[in-house]
Amino acid sequence: MTLDTRVYVLDEISYKDVWLKCNQLIGATENTRFTDEQQKTWRSGESFVEPGNSWWIWNKPGQGLCALLDVSYRPGVPLRSAEQAAAHDEDICNLPGGSWYDEESGPCDGSDHRPACWLEISFDTGYGYRGDNGEGCGDLHARLVAELGQWLDERTVRWLWKNEFTGDVHSGYERLIDLCSGGFEATAWYQTAVLPAISARIGEGGAS
């Protein structure tokens, strides 16, 4: 089992710049193997590329990185427009693992559709992960999101992140603590990086 934390980048920015920053955060190097390709459509057991498919750039697994990383994008346009985000996608909404799927939730009402965004980033780490400093996968993801968020804030690029544990989408740093294991809020990075960012966002009325 893995923890897959998503970051939605709402404003225009080069996917390559974001990709490089995310790779820096997870410790990738110029020797890290990756693929940049248009995503395929699967139908009746076969895969093929359709003109409207999005693109994604992703690191190949098995390279010893703390998280699998992929970034979904469309060249020169948003990954999902507001209209696309609002539309009901039969292929996504009615499949396990889709944007809302829950056998007990009933028909899709659109409330859990993925948000409109320029890019969608995935950090994916096994539940059994333990870093050299004792951090678990949730601690790691809280740090990655916080550091990426600060980098985006410096460029006045808006962003959201999704907590896979709850399915909730948040617009700031405050709820990153929900990912952390007990006591991790006392660590140096949280005290020096996350808390000041939370305070600044609250001062602007932007944390949630």
Side-chain angles (χ1 to χ4, degrees):
M1 297 291 288
T2 64
L3 174 63
D4 183 0
T5 301
R6 301 296 174 111
V7 178
Y8 305 105
V9 180
L10 306 186
D11 298 318
E12 181 175 358
I13 189 172
S14 167
Y15 83 90
K16 290 183 179 179
D17 290 346
V18 174
W19 170 252
L20 290 173
K21 179 60 181 178
C22 290
N23 268 303
Q24 178 188 32
L25 294 176
I26 64 172
T29 70
E30 60 184 12
N31 296 321
T32 299
R33 303 184 305 278
F34 68 92
T35 297
D36 190 357
E37 62 183 0
Q38 195 169 13
Q39 296 194 41
K40 296 179 174 63
T41 297
W42 286 87
R43 191 173 295 130
S44 301
E46 297 183 357
S47 65
F48 50 91
V49 173
E50 294 183 299
N53 289 5
S54 60
W55 290 67
W56 67 328
I57 183 169
W58 50 281
N59 286 331
K60 295 189 176 181
Q63 299 186 79
L65 298 171
C66 62
L68 291 176
L69 168 68
D70 69 65
V71 177
S72 297
Y73 70 96
R74 295 182 191 274
V77 297
L79 174 65
R80 278 188 299 277
S81 66
E83 292 76 16
Q84 290 169 328
H88 179 75
D89 186 333
E90 200 74 24
D91 289 335
I92 294 175
C93 294
N94 288 339
L95 291 175
S99 59
W100 72 277
Y101 184 86
D102 183 341
E103 290 181 348
E104 299 179 357
S105 67
C108 173
D109 63 3
S111 61
D112 292 324
H113 285 187
R114 292 172 295 178
C117 61
W118 194 265
L119 306 172
E120 181 175 331
I121 302 157
S122 167
F123 295 110
D124 195 1
T125 303
Y127 285 151
Y129 170 83
R130 283 294 178 269
D132 293 337
N133 59 355
E135 66 181 3
C137 64
D139 307 320
L140 168 69
H141 283 207
R143 176 168 59 82
L144 294 174
V145 173
E147 293 177 355
L148 176 59
Q150 289 177 308
W151 183 83
L152 292 168
D153 286 345
E154 290 169 359
R155 288 153 181 78
T156 64
V157 174
R158 297 171 302 146
W159 55 279
L160 305 169
W161 69 278
K162 181 178 181 178
N163 184 339
E164 188 187 37
F165 291 135
T166 65
D168 295 331
V169 176
H170 302 285
S171 61
Y173 302 87
E174 187 173 18
R175 299 318 312 172
L176 287 174
I177 194 66
D178 296 342
L179 295 177
C180 295
S181 57
F184 203 73
E185 64 270 24
T187 60
W189 81 264
Y190 193 85
Q191 294 291 327
T192 60
V194 178
L195 287 183
I198 290 173
S199 298
R201 291 282 286 174
I202 290 175
E204 297 169 359
S208 66

